[in-house]
């Protein structure tokens, strides 16, 4: 990482020369050093089919560069020009209800349509050839927010591809029939061509069909991304990304496998700061070897013709930027630079108004720029520390929950709540993709994953054998890969690995079930697994309800570590207290050192370099906060020594503390062995 970027989405194709000149001058004044351009500009580049011309962008990119502003170029594929769809209805995206999307917004075409892919390839190739070697082009973004407005397409192209996909997966139709149990309701298929898309039916579809269709669709999106990336790579060597989100209908782990760095968009409000921070702790781990980017966030408030959000309170955007940079971001960018004059997003917050004056968010941008400059020298010489506690995040788990949401459960909010608990407990945490390497972690959480692959179970079991503590559940392991029920044991291989026996599974909601653990009693909720504790050790007892005397929390010693199974979700405030005690208990047992007593609303981003540990302490709730420094250190911003004990940070302020360490000693309170794993090198680092 050579510098920290501070950027904005910019649409020069919408403005005249004079305005562009004014924009560039204003960007310099505001400290914008990178812009992202082109993601909706297809009709400006190719007004008529075949008339590709990007001279305009070439000139803009050159002028930006002459003024010290670098560029990320996007492929313009989310908004195909009207000539691509007018009179060609078969190219349009079709939703589950069978409605065809029309021209006028975005994502209205089927991205699996052959002709679309061909034209998308041509415009991508043109941009790569014409613009890729310009000075100041630092990266590429594919498309814009894949599947943010639409999910699975039900057009006839997709139907054919679906059949091909199934044939490739199962080989013979009988295999599909067997795996999906299609004699149920006379679904039995004689050929792949007969397998329907999960469109309208009088009642629900087969779970295997629905889950597979979603996975098929996510794979096709990743395939499209890879196709575009390959075209760009033929003539450019800048890194490639996509501005994604955990809110979209994509499998981010798969999507980013062949991309070069991770980036995402987020528009969470201050009250929902966990929804903002979860991104930093997830995307840092999606492409571990490269820093991530916040590709879009609002400089003040989001809005469209349909409504608007409230402006962020003064100071919050600066705290967001400080948190992102300190937790591993290289870039922090806004949507958008100049308020849109036309379209459907005129009410959206911007940096500059449509008439060229500073918008309400302008001063936030100045504050971010000040923070960027202040933090840059420190962040360029330190790296984010790998956490010791990891939570597995899985978009495939999201799909299983979409097919089978129980009582309207949503994976994103479940996982965010779970994450928030660790955040509030001051435990430094990583959200990691399903296939992530587990080395360096001490405590692993696997909640809300209906289907857990054998490979994951095996990896997590080995993690426990080597001394880690693996906590699985609630809601984890009860479904097979094809979204069917296990027939040998309720949780399949997980039971064997964890050495538990599940007696029954049923929804505990509404049964007045009460569990007790760690000195707390709480109502038990969600689809639950009740354990027989002959082989494992009961840590949570069911005191009331239909399974009195059995347990909902059970642990087994596995090698040098443990597997802990949480069969039910303790609810309400008592449940929250119980879960906190549970996490605390296992954090202690696992010997977690990366934990602080930061109050709610104040966070610590831990970093390291050869000289030791650096904490960036940031207040995110605007109330100010305090934290205990475990030892004496140096305030790197004020350049003065600081004593151990209480450190206060003002509302939305940040402080950077360096802990001087002698060899073998660390800045973390409970660190005993003096070893902290470097996240980037994957080796153990002495601090
Ligand atoms: C994003 C999108 C932008 C803009 C923005 C408004 O999801 O990528 O193009 O629409 O939202 O908040
Ligand atoms: Zn389609």
């Amino acid at each position: 990482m050579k510098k920290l970027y501070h950027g904005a989405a910019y649409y020069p194709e919408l403005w005249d020369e004079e305005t562009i000149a004014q924009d560039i001058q204003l960007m310099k004044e505001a400290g914008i050093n990178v812009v992202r351009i082109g993601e909706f500009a297809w009709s400006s580049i190719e007004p008529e089919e075949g008339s590709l011309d990007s001279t305009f962008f070439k000139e803009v990119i050159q002028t930006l560069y002459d003024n010290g502003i670098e560029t990320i170029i996007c492929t313009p594929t989310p908004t195909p020009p009207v000539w691509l769809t007018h009179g060609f209805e078969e190219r349009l995206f079709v939703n589950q209800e069978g409605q065809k999307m029309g021209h006028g917004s975005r994502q209205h075409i089927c991205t699996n349509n052959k002709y679309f892919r061909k034209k998308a390839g041509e415009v991508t190739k043109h941009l790569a050839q014409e613009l890729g070697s310009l000075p100041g082009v630092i990266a590429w973004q594919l498309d814009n927010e894949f599947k943010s407005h639409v999910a699975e397409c039900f057009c006839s192209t997709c139907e054919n591809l679906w059949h091909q996909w199934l044939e490739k997966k199962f080989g013979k139709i009988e295999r599909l029939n067997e795996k999906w149990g299609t004699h149920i309701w006379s679904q039995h298929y004689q050929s792949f061509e007969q397998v329907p898309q999960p469109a309208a039916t009088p009642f629900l579809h087969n779970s295997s069909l629905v889950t597979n269709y979603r996975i098929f669709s996510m794979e096709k999106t990743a395939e499209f991304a890879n196709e575009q990336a390959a075209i760009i790579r033929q003539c450019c060597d800048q890194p490639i990304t996509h501005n994604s989100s955990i809110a979209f209908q994509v499998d981010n782990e798969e999507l980013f496998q062949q991309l070069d760095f991770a980036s995402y968009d987020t528009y969470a409000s201050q009250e929902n700061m966990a929804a903002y921070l979860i991104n930093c702790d997830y995307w840092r781990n999606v492409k571990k070897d490269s820093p991530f980017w916040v590709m879009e966030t609002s400089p003040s408030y989001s809005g469209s013709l349909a409504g608007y959000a409230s402006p962020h309170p003064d100071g919050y955007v600066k705290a967001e930027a400080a948190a992102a940079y300190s937790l591993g971001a290289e870039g922090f960018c806004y949507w958008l630079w100049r308020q849109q004059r036309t379209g459907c997003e005129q009410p959206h917050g911007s940096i500059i108004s449509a008439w060229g004056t500073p918008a309400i968010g302008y001063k936030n941008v100045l504050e971010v720029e000040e923070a960027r400059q202040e933090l840059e020298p420190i962040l360029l010489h330190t790296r984010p520390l790998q956490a010791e506690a990891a939570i597995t995040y899985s978009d495939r788990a999201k799909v299983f929950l979409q097919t089978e949401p129980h009582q309207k459960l949503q994976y994103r909010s479940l996982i965010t709540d779970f994450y928030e608990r660790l955040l509030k407990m001051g435990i430094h945490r990583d959200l990691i993709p399903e296939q992530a390497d587990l080395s360096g972690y001490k405590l692993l959480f696997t909640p809300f994953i209906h289907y857990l692959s054998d490979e994951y179970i095996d990896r997590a079991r080995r993690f426990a054998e080597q001394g880690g503590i693996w906590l699985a559940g609630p809601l984890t392991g009860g479904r097979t890969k094809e979204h069917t029920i296990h027939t040998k044991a309720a949780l399949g291989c997980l039971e064997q690995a964890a050495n538990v026996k599940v007696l029954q599974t049923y929804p505990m909601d509404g049964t007045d079930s009460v569990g007790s653990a760690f000195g707390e009693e709480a109502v038990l909720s969600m689809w639950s697994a009740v354990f027989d504790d002959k082989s494992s050790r009961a840590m949570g007892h069911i005191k009331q309800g239909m399974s009195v005397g059995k347990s909902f929390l059970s642990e087994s010693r596995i090698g040098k570590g443990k597997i802990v199974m949480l069969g039910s979700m303790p609810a309400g405030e008592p449940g929250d207290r119980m879960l906190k005690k549970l996490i605390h208990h296992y954090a202690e047992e696992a010997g977690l050192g990366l934990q602080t007593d930061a109050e709610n609303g104040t966070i610590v981003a831990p970093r390291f370099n050869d000289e030791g540990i650096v904490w960036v302490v940031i207040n995110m709730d605007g109330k100010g906060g305090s934290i205990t420094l475990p030892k004496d250190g140096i305030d790197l911003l004020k350049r003065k020594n600081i004593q151990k004990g209480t450190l206060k940070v003002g509302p939305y302020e940040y402080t950077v503390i360096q802990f001087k360490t002698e060899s073998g000693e660390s800045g973390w309170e409970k660190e005993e062995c003096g070893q902290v794993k470097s996240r980037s090198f994957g080796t153990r680092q002495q601090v």
Side-chain angles (χ1 to χ4, degrees):
M1 198 159 88
K2 294 198 190 83
K3 71 188 206 190
L4 295 182
Y5 283 97
H6 184 197
Y10 187 42
Y11 303 96
E13 70 274 21
L14 305 180
W15 301 97
D16 60 20
E17 240 175 77
E18 202 184 317
T19 313
I20 294 172
Q22 186 194 31
D23 279 334
I24 294 178
Q25 183 52 37
L26 290 169
M27 282 179 193
K28 280 165 78 173
E29 288 169 21
I32 294 297
N33 61 14
V34 64
V35 293
R36 190 198 61 175
I37 62 166
E39 78 273 28
F40 305 125
W42 196 342
S43 74
S44 305
I45 298 161
E46 193 175 5
E48 279 168 50
E49 185 165 359
S51 65
L52 287 158
D53 184 356
S54 51
T55 324
F56 167 78
F57 285 101
K58 202 179 261 182
E59 283 161 13
V60 173
I61 293 170
Q62 183 65 53
T63 317
L64 284 161
Y65 180 70
D66 294 342
N67 285 278
I69 300 164
E70 294 171 284
T71 301
I72 296 174
I73 307 176
C74 307
T75 60
T77 44
T79 50
V82 72
W83 51 256
L84 198 38
T85 52
H86 188 76
F88 301 100
E89 289 224 335
E90 71 282 5
R91 296 178 189 163
L92 295 171
F93 178 94
V94 179
N95 70 14
Q96 199 180 9
E97 288 76 45
Q99 295 164 316
K100 283 196 169 109
M101 299 293 115
H103 186 85
S105 177
R106 47 187 182 185
Q107 299 183 0
H108 55 280
I109 207 164
C110 171
T111 50
N112 293 329
N113 179 275
K114 243 195 169 151
Y115 198 71
F116 166 76
R117 289 272 184 108
K118 177 172 148 38
K119 299 311 287 180
E122 283 169 17
V123 71
T124 301
K125 186 171 173 189
H126 167 85
L127 294 177
Q129 284 175 340
E130 295 298 313
L131 309 180
S133 54
L134 290 177
V137 174
I138 56 163
W140 290 83
Q141 176 188 300
L142 305 179
D143 203 279
N144 183 72
E145 297 191 339
F146 285 131
K147 302 288 181 190
S148 61
H149 300 304
V150 293
E152 296 76 36
C153 175
F154 288 77
C155 78
S156 56
T157 299
C158 289
E159 188 179 18
N160 284 331
L161 292 169
W162 164 234
H163 294 151
Q164 288 168 23
W165 186 84
L166 289 172
E167 185 157 7
K168 193 161 171 231
K169 176 168 173 175
F170 293 103
K172 293 205 166 78
I173 191 66
E174 259 327 305
R175 205 168 137 72
L176 177 149
N177 281 314
E178 186 207 318
K179 291 271 178 196
W180 294 6
T182 54
H183 278 302
I184 200 146
W185 291 6
S186 288
Q187 286 163 359
H188 193 264
Y189 302 108
Q190 295 147 314
S191 71
F192 287 107
E193 287 66 47
Q194 293 171 336
V195 184
Q197 294 161 295
T201 38
F203 187 46
L204 303 173
H205 274 287
N206 185 321
S207 58
S208 307
L209 178 84
V210 184
T211 293
N212 270 283
Y213 198 71
R214 293 196 163 108
I215 289 173
F216 151 76
S217 167
M218 297 194 306
E219 280 185 16
K220 285 287 159 190
T221 305
E223 174 196 273
F224 174 44
N226 292 339
E227 220 173 271
Q228 289 217 315
I231 295 169
I232 295 170
R233 288 194 183 113
Q234 275 168 15
C235 53
C236 306
D237 46 22
Q238 294 94 352
I240 303 173
T241 191
H242 171 68
N243 59 332
S244 195
S245 161
I246 55 174
F248 306 157
Q249 199 64 15
V250 290
D251 179 351
N252 284 298
E253 179 164 17
E254 182 181 41
L255 177 60
F256 280 89
Q257 226 146 42
Q258 297 190 47
L259 304 186
D260 302 307
F261 69 102
S263 72
Y264 63 89
D265 300 349
T266 170
Y267 290 88
S269 66
Q270 190 278 326
E271 296 76 43
N272 206 0
M273 64 178 238
Y276 176 81
L277 291 167
I278 195 173
N279 284 303
C280 303
D281 288 331
Y282 173 61
W283 295 97
R284 180 175 64 238
N285 296 301
V286 171
K287 294 304 282 186
K288 276 195 137 194
D289 297 328
S290 311
F292 65 86
W293 280 57
V294 179
M295 199 56 93
E296 287 184 18
T297 195
S298 155
S300 181
Y301 55 92
S302 55
S304 72
L305 298 181
Y308 48 72
S310 304
H312 286 311
D314 285 347
Y316 181 61
V317 181
K318 175 187 69 181
E320 284 187 313
Y325 287 135
S326 305
L327 288 167
E330 179 177 33
F332 183 82
C333 306
Y334 311 99
W335 202 88
L336 79 167
W337 169 254
R338 183 180 282 257
Q339 179 186 19
Q340 295 197 325
R341 183 177 71 89
T342 59
C344 68
E345 296 189 306
Q346 295 106 320
H348 201 288
S350 59
I351 304 172
I352 298 295
S353 68
W355 53 95
T357 56
I360 193 73
Y362 185 79
K363 64 178 181 317
N364 297 334
V365 176
L366 296 186
E367 281 181 15
V368 169
E369 178 55 12
E370 210 181 303
R372 186 193 71 81
Q373 288 184 21
E374 194 169 50
L375 289 169
E376 190 178 61
I378 298 163
L379 300 185
L380 294 186
H381 294 103
T382 53
R383 291 159 186 278
L385 264 175
Q386 178 178 321
E388 296 165 327
I391 306 169
T392 294
Y393 173 88
S394 161
D395 287 309
R396 294 208 173 209
K398 179 163 81 184
V399 159
F400 275 76
L401 263 166
Q402 283 168 339
T403 302
E404 191 182 0
H406 294 173
Q407 295 194 321
K408 300 203 175 87
L409 294 179
Q410 283 183 336
Y411 181 68
R412 188 180 171 200
S413 51
L414 289 173
I415 202 87
T416 306
D417 286 351
F418 197 92
Y419 162 87
E420 191 171 11
R421 205 166 280 117
L422 269 78
L423 179 72
K424 286 188 167 162
M425 291 174 74
I427 296 177
H428 186 47
R429 66 270 127 207
D430 281 342
L431 251 77
I432 56 173
E434 252 183 292
Q435 291 169 46
D437 178 7
L438 299 175
S439 51
Y441 293 112
K442 294 178 175 173
L443 188 54
L444 171 68
F445 297 96
T446 314
F448 315 119
I449 305 193
H450 273 328
Y451 158 62
L452 214 50
S453 71
D454 291 350
E455 192 277 325
Y456 184 101
I457 296 173
D458 202 45
R459 189 156 26 93
R461 187 186 43 78
R462 273 185 279 121
F463 161 80
E465 274 170 8
Q466 289 158 17
I469 296 182
W470 176 28
L471 198 135
L475 227 57
T476 294
R479 296 292 177 267
T480 69
K481 185 176 185 187
E482 297 303 321
H483 208 138
T484 60
I485 304 269
H486 298 286
T487 47
K488 296 221 165 78
L491 308 183
C493 303
L494 177 58
E495 282 191 40
Q496 209 182 348
N499 210 14
V500 293
K501 177 98 202 80
V502 173
L503 294 170
Q504 273 146 356
T505 66
Y506 63 94
M508 281 201 182
D509 315 83
T511 62
D512 287 330
S513 294
V514 173
S516 99
F518 304 106
E520 297 285 346
E521 291 211 340
V523 167
L524 298 176
S525 72
M526 291 195 189
W527 191 273
S528 304
V530 176
F531 305 117
D532 178 8
D533 293 302
K534 287 202 183 95
S535 42
S536 54
R537 194 168 132 220
M539 296 296 289
H541 303 275
I542 302 173
K543 290 271 154 109
Q544 197 181 303
M546 296 170 165
S547 303
V548 174
K550 304 289 181 233
S551 91
F552 68 97
L553 177 69
S554 205
E555 63 163 50
S556 303
R557 188 148 270 298
I558 309 283
K560 293 187 206 146
K562 264 181 191 172
I563 301 182
V564 185
M565 297 291 306
L566 177 58
S568 191
M569 186 64 171
E573 270 182 40
D576 184 52
R577 280 200 302 275
M578 183 189 287
L579 285 169
K580 281 188 176 142
K581 286 193 174 170
L582 179 154
I583 294 167
H584 181 74
H585 173 87
Y586 289 109
E588 287 264 302
E589 192 171 325
L592 247 60
L594 292 164
Q595 187 167 5
T596 72
D597 65 351
E599 293 169 352
N600 290 349
T602 298
I603 63 154
V604 174
R607 302 178 62 93
F608 75 98
N609 64 11
D610 290 345
E611 278 132 59
I613 299 278
V614 167
W615 285 11
V616 187
V617 186
I618 308 156
N619 177 258
M620 303 282 300
D621 67 359
K623 296 181 184 146
S626 71
I627 182 171
T628 307
L629 301 181
K631 53 189 289 187
D632 295 349
I634 303 165
D635 182 327
L636 291 182
L637 301 177
K638 296 200 179 117
R639 297 175 193 283
K640 62 169 199 197
N641 289 332
I642 189 149
Q643 283 180 353
K644 70 176 185 188
T646 306
L647 171 84
K648 286 201 181 312
V649 274
Y652 300 127
E653 295 297 332
Y654 55 82
T655 304
V656 186
I657 307 294
Q658 161 106 56
F659 294 106
K660 275 193 287 182
T661 49
E662 284 117 50
S663 67
E665 199 193 10
S666 104
W668 290 103
E669 207 169 6
K670 290 179 206 145
E671 190 72 41
E672 276 157 17
C673 58
Q675 302 221 304
V676 180
K677 189 169 181 287
S678 130
R679 111 185 155 85
S680 312
F681 308 119
T683 52
R684 290 204 163 248
Q685 177 102 359
Q686 196 78 24
V687 291

